[in-house]
Amino acid sequence: MLSFHEGSGLLMLAVLAVLQIAAEARGARPCRPGFSEDVYKAVVPDNAMKGHHLFSVTFGSCGQSGPVRFECSNPSDFRIEADGKVYAARNFELSSVPTSPLLIKASDTTTHQQWETQVRLMPPRSSSKQVWEAAVPPVVSKGLKEIAFPPRNLDSQLKRMKRDWVIPPINVGENSRGPFPQELVRIRSDHDKVRSLRYSVTGPGADQPPTGIFIIDPISGELSVNKPLDREHIPSFHLRAHAVDLNGNQVENPIDIMINVIDMNDNRPEFTHQIWNGTVPEGSKPGTFVMTVTSVDKDDPKTANGMLRYKILSQNPESPTSNMFTINNKTGGIITVAAGLDREKVPQYTLIIQATDMEGNPVYGLSNTATAVIRVTDINDNPPEFTAEMFYGEVPENRVNVIVANLTVTDKDQPNTPAWNAVYKITGGDPTGRFSVPTDPTTNEGSVTVIKPIDYEISRTYVLTVEARNEVPLARGIHSPRQSTATVSIRVIDVNESPYFEPNPKLIKLEEGMLPESTLTTFTAQDPDRFMPQTIRYSKLSDPANWLKIDPDTGRITTTAVLDRESPYVKNSLYNATFLASDNGVPPASGTGTVQIYLLDINDNAPKVFPQEVEICDKPDPNAINITALDGDLNPNAGPFAFELAHRPSDVRRNWTITRISGDHAQVSLKIGFLESGIYEIPIIITDSGNLPMSNTSYLRIKVCQCDISGDCTDQQHIMAAGLGTGAIILILLCIIILLILVLMFVVWMKRRDKERQAKQLLIDPEDDVRDNILKYDEEGGGEEDQDYDLSQLQQPDTIEPDAIKPVGIRRLDERPLHPEPQYPMRSAAPHPGDIGDFINEGLKAADNDPTAPPYDSLLVFDYEGSGSTAGSLSSLNSSSSGGDQDYDYLNDWGPRFRKLADMYGGSDD
């Protein structure tokens, strides 16, 4: 039993619909795809609002078919979704809908199988027989909707009813201000009349996240919402209601409750971009599309809350009119509505766009704004114009890649674009193509450039007509003005040009062997400067063999030597000589010309044997040698050749024989059975085939040797003969001589270095004098008292008698033996500086021969001498012959090395 009581506060928001479907369940039948009923009866309110749910149909696919697509026979009034729910496609009254049954078709998109069913629409009053009013308990809120569980048998066994009850969804407005909890509907069962029941709901929003939104009174069954709802967060809730007794036993089948959150206009439209950028070409016609702006509204797009409308609030600048653009109020597409877009005047427009929901209702709708920046792009609607009608320039003749003049233009189009970049073209005055006008990419100027040489003698001035265009054609309807064409006047400057030979090169054919002082030809040059009378002089620039000379005034070429075709300077019978022609202009100019002499061959070279050295075995087998003839001449002055052995010496023809093999080859072989090993020179007479034949006796050097089986020489004589040649021997001798010279130079250098070392020892630098240095000696032990020494000898060593010699057992091993003193040479009081070297050498020799002097590498043994020496300080020692009265001033004259000695011995007491 299902009953609805509408409250006065929800009159426009609640739509009541009941779809009652009867299905027989007399027994278990196999599952077949199709609608659950052939005919449905649906209760539809008298006034249906667009987008509200009306009823649902059930389709069973049995899991055997693919996706199913639904269609209805009246799509203008009803809209059916993929889940079988039917919504109002527009606002309508039921009385205006055709009374014929509504046909609903289901199509399998995979198998293309189709099913149909009918739906009979009934107003709410026609279903009064199926709706029963229930007694309202005192605890139920007045005016609250009530949902009853479908009736079932008393034995609590679940039994399919004859018809299924379709419970319409509960609509709840979002953002309600309460008070909360706010009652929505009452759930009741017919069994609450005979027993106490407990009600509960499950599902998202109740006992599943988000929990606590919906609560139910377990005794009265009142379902309430506990907080405001947000459709943009959760648009609907699917709950299940349960009824159990006090023991927890289920007394009713759970029923599904759909709660739809009714949208409210609580969200403003939001543009996807705050600033929109678009472009439109200048000169566009009205209706040209510019761009599309879009805005989104979080409210339900199926209701007026989410239906947006666009409009332009302002345009900046308002030139040439204030309404240059318009916007499609539904799609947001911006187009032009007026002509006159000119980038050179207005390069950019700024539009303020407004989006309003509630279908643009300015009273109830919410709105937002964004900025649209429209940039007017350039088209080639301005041709380039020259800054002057005439340009001037000048260029020296024969110069290329020279800029004659710079052409400047102005263009109002956007710089550095194809509509601004200029392209220059010469349309007149240059029939031979000697000029070009490339564009400077930086300044957009045209550079008139010479690309082919200009001859002053041919044309002294050029008048060019140049046209300026752009890289892209002008826009339709725009033509080039007169200012796009200019005239360029170019003056040619005369310069001194180089003389030139004609023809160049000049070919001469003659026989070789021409005698000196013979005239070959006259090689003259032409001066292209017709307006500059000048004198040309000639000189020789290149003559590899130095065979030719040229007259400086007339250009007559004569020979200075015999022309020889076999010269190494002749290549393929051609000899090249280069001559120079110079004028007397300012500045002087010169040109070169080449004379090619083709030398015809004459028989002027005798043939020679080749090779000149061969080897042969000392026995006749094998002993044949093949030779040929070399001739510097060409045929017919060369081969075929005639070969003949000379008559002298007589043993040549006795030992050897020569046989002609071909015109250029012959064979030499032993005539006797054995020939002693050695080197033989065989004279061979070779004659060529010239008109006047030439003969020559060539010597063939043959090495006769013992041979092995393969015919190779094996004796030692052959090895020696094949050893060193004359050139190798000369080279070895040169190496030996160079080595001896190096050894001699080394010996001389060593002797010289020894002399320099001795001189350095004689002339010791004063800084190296030992008397100027402090010499530190190591500590040698104690004093002299613990040793058996005669310390008195330290004071007067000269008083010791020669015979006062200690016994050998008493004297120390390292004492100086007592022998007669060596006789050192005496020097004069003032020796000559030149004799000082001899004097020192003699003293050195006497010291080396002194037997009393210990060797330099002798081992000196020092003992501990104790303390308390009686000898006193060594500073008290005096020389027996100090020479205090000696005059040492003469040492100052010997140089700085002896000046220190003079200061030490001849100085004052200070």
Side-chain angles (χ1 to χ4, degrees), residues 369-381:
T369 60
T371 301
V373 178
I374 301 175
R375 184 171 56 88
V376 181
T377 59
D378 186 37
I379 64 172
N380 194 12
D381 58 344

Side-chain angles (χ1 to χ4, degrees), residues 271-285:
F271 284 92
T272 55
H273 300 287
Q274 193 59 34
I275 298 179
W276 297 79
N277 294 297
T279 59
V280 60
E282 62 175 333
S284 296
K285 296 180 179 180

